[in-house]
Amino acid sequence: MARITVGAAIPSRSKPAAALSPASSAWRSAFRRRLVAWYRKNARQLPWRETRDPYQIWVSEVMLQQTLVATVTAYFPRFVARFPTIAALAAAPEEEVLKLWEGLGYYRRARQLHRAAQVIRDEHGGEFPRQIEAARSLPGVGRYTAGAVLSIAHDDPHPILEANTVRLFARLLAYRGDVRSAAGQQVLWSMAEALLPKTASGELNQALMELGSQVCTPRDPACNACPVAALCPTRAAGLTASIPAAQAKMQITAVREAALLVRRGARVLLLRREAGERWAGLWDFPRYAVDPDAGPVEQQLTEHLARDTGTQVRIGARLTTIKHSVTRYRITLDCYAATHVTIDPNTGATRTVAWVTPAELVNYPLSTTGRKLTRLLTGKNGVSG
Ligand code: SF4
């Protein structure tokens, strides 16, 4: 069994919590019993909990990374209806996968899911691999995802650790160190391993995540409704506000960008985002970072566009400004109307472009801002064509 390190001694007002700790098998047995009883009564009904199909569980786990359950609940059924098997997903064009992912964000997840489906088709006979190491070698599948899929689908005894269980375990261990550090991760993974039961690991893992997300929340955990409150040293010590330790705030960078709605008759210009770019594989209106020290914006935009596509344009009015965030960047995006003048075939431009009617835009996977500009184009703002 994994060794568990219990956090620094905390003066306890609670006899049971003081008498037992996660290092004792009595604590762990009591914990599992209470947790599973609570989960059977309180588990939310979610579409991916109605199946033991490893493929569908895998899809849900990938979608749930960095996306809210309520959002995934809308996307998941549509995705597995269109791609009901790994073979169907592997055979689909990447653009169709991205189109179904549109709006979920973090598109790298979709590209890796698609790529991993092809690896499973080519190297694992079309079945999600049962060996944990083989699962972990798939694109985008780490220790957590592999453990979650194999434990939930097959009850294989693999531990899991994600944001909710990190917080839950830190509190159950009264762990005051940095939960992101290598030492912190080792302590928490050891806790996850030690808690695994001999059978039904899938139910326990799901119950842990459910308790973390629904009861042991980041702010104001519902300790009074918690089935394991009597076993929790952090609650006994009144330290729920300071465990786990707060993370350093992310440094935010402000960025100015500009997009062009270039018209040629009834059509507008789209660019396909390339590998290595933000939103790779999606389509977007031509869009560039603007350098405030590099001359007029209009001149910068015409030069960028001519270099990328060979298209010469005349830039018109600013149509709108959109503010949005991507990871640590706060982006202010100014959107300009532009009219196509000519295309110079001798510039050596290699970008993949498409001239599409506003009605055809619905068929292209677009970024969220691309979709907003589409609404501007097709909607009420007097710029429709
Ligand atoms: Fe979390 Fe409170 Fe339960 Fe402890 S008692 S596990 S802090 S909800």
Side-chain angles (χ1 to χ4, degrees):
M1 180 191 303
R3 272 189 64 196
I4 301 178
T5 310
V6 182
I10 293 175
S12 173
R13 297 193 294 267
S14 158
K15 268 290 167 205
L20 294 174
S21 86
S24 80
S25 61
W27 186 100
R28 295 195 297 274
S29 297
F31 175 84
R32 287 188 207 105
R33 208 171 41 247
R34 292 172 191 213
L35 174 65
V36 169
W38 170 85
Y39 180 69
R40 288 179 183 170
K41 273 196 201 143
N42 294 282
R44 288 166 295 171
Q45 284 196 317
L46 300 169
W48 48 92
R49 287 192 176 151
E50 291 164 13
T51 177
R52 301 290 293 262
D53 176 359
Y55 164 64
Q56 293 201 18
I57 293 164
W58 173 39
V59 170
S60 73
E61 289 297 338
V62 174
M63 285 187 170
L64 287 163
Q65 292 162 14
Q66 292 151 314
T67 305
L68 297 172
V69 165
T71 308
V72 174
T73 303
Y75 278 79
F76 173 81
R78 214 164 49 212
F79 194 91
V80 296
R82 169 60 191 89
F83 307 121
T85 61
I86 289 175
L89 176 59
E94 182 187 89
E95 200 156 304
E96 192 180 352
V97 179
L98 291 172
K99 178 69 192 149
L100 272 183
W101 206 270
E102 188 185 303
L104 269 179
Y106 298 97
Y107 295 92
R108 188 157 183 258
R109 295 178 298 174
R111 290 192 298 275
Q112 289 185 320
L113 184 71
H114 184 225
R115 177 79 196 105
Q118 294 171 335
V119 172
I120 293 172
R121 176 195 61 195
D122 298 341
E123 299 176 16
H124 299 285
E127 301 286 339
F128 192 91
R130 190 79 182 258
Q131 303 301 321
I132 187 91
E133 289 311 325
R136 287 182 65 180
S137 71
L138 295 169
V141 177
R143 186 177 181 186
Y144 163 72
T145 304
V149 172
L150 294 177
S151 64
I152 296 169
H154 304 296
D155 276 330
D156 291 346
H158 297 298
I160 51 115
L161 186 66
E162 40 68 81
N164 292 309
T165 41
V166 162
R167 183 173 59 255
L168 176 66
F169 293 165
R171 286 172 175 161
L172 291 170
L173 291 167
Y175 183 76
R176 301 196 208 212
D178 179 355
V179 293
R180 291 195 183 184
S181 67
Q185 287 286 300
Q186 197 174 0
V187 167
L188 300 176
W189 275 108
S190 296
M191 175 72 162
E193 277 175 39
L195 285 176
L196 280 175
K198 289 196 175 66
T199 58
S201 61
E203 184 179 46
L204 188 97
N205 281 344
Q206 291 184 87
L208 287 167
M209 291 189 276
E210 192 80 344
L211 186 68
S213 71
Q214 299 302 296
V215 177
C216 195
T217 48
R219 266 180 241 123
D220 300 324
C223 299
N224 290 338
C226 178
V228 296
L231 300 167
C232 179
T234 297
R235 183 203 188 207
L239 289 174
T240 54
S242 56
I243 295 178
Q247 306 291 322
K249 279 227 163 80
M250 195 162 55
Q251 206 75 38
I252 301 299
T253 305
V255 174
R256 195 108 202 167
E257 296 185 1
L260 288 171
L261 292 182
V262 183
R263 289 172 168 279
R264 188 174 73 182
R267 296 178 180 272
V268 290
L269 177 63
L270 290 184
L271 249 66
R272 191 162 193 264
R273 311 285 300 195
E274 293 179 338
E277 287 187 320
R278 189 198 300 155
W279 304 314
L282 273 70
W283 291 83
D284 206 356
F285 296 94
R287 159 180 185 145
Y288 301 100
V290 172
D291 180 350
D293 300 323
V297 172
E298 289 82 356
Q299 186 184 338
Q300 292 182 48
L301 292 174
T302 47
E303 286 174 3
H304 283 309
L305 191 68
R307 183 200 61 217
D308 274 2
T309 69
T311 306
Q312 303 284 343
V313 296
R314 192 167 44 249
I315 296 186
R318 190 174 66 186
L319 300 171
T320 189
T321 297
I322 298 172
K323 295 193 181 212
H324 69 113
S325 298
V326 178
T327 59
R328 65 186 184 85
Y329 298 101
R330 296 279 179 274
I331 302 172
T332 302
L333 178 69
D334 293 317
C335 308
Y336 292 86
T339 312
H340 163 268
V341 176
T342 182
I343 294 181
D344 179 352
N346 301 315
T347 59
T350 55
R351 296 296 299 249
T352 306
V353 303
W355 289 95
V356 302
T357 64
E360 289 167 342
L361 283 164
V362 74
N363 301 322
Y364 287 78
L366 297 174
S367 67
T368 302
T369 47
R371 193 55 68 198
K372 276 187 187 164
L373 289 179
T374 297
R375 283 197 286 276
L376 181 74
L377 196 65
T378 55
K380 310 113 197 170
N381 298 281
V383 290
S384 63

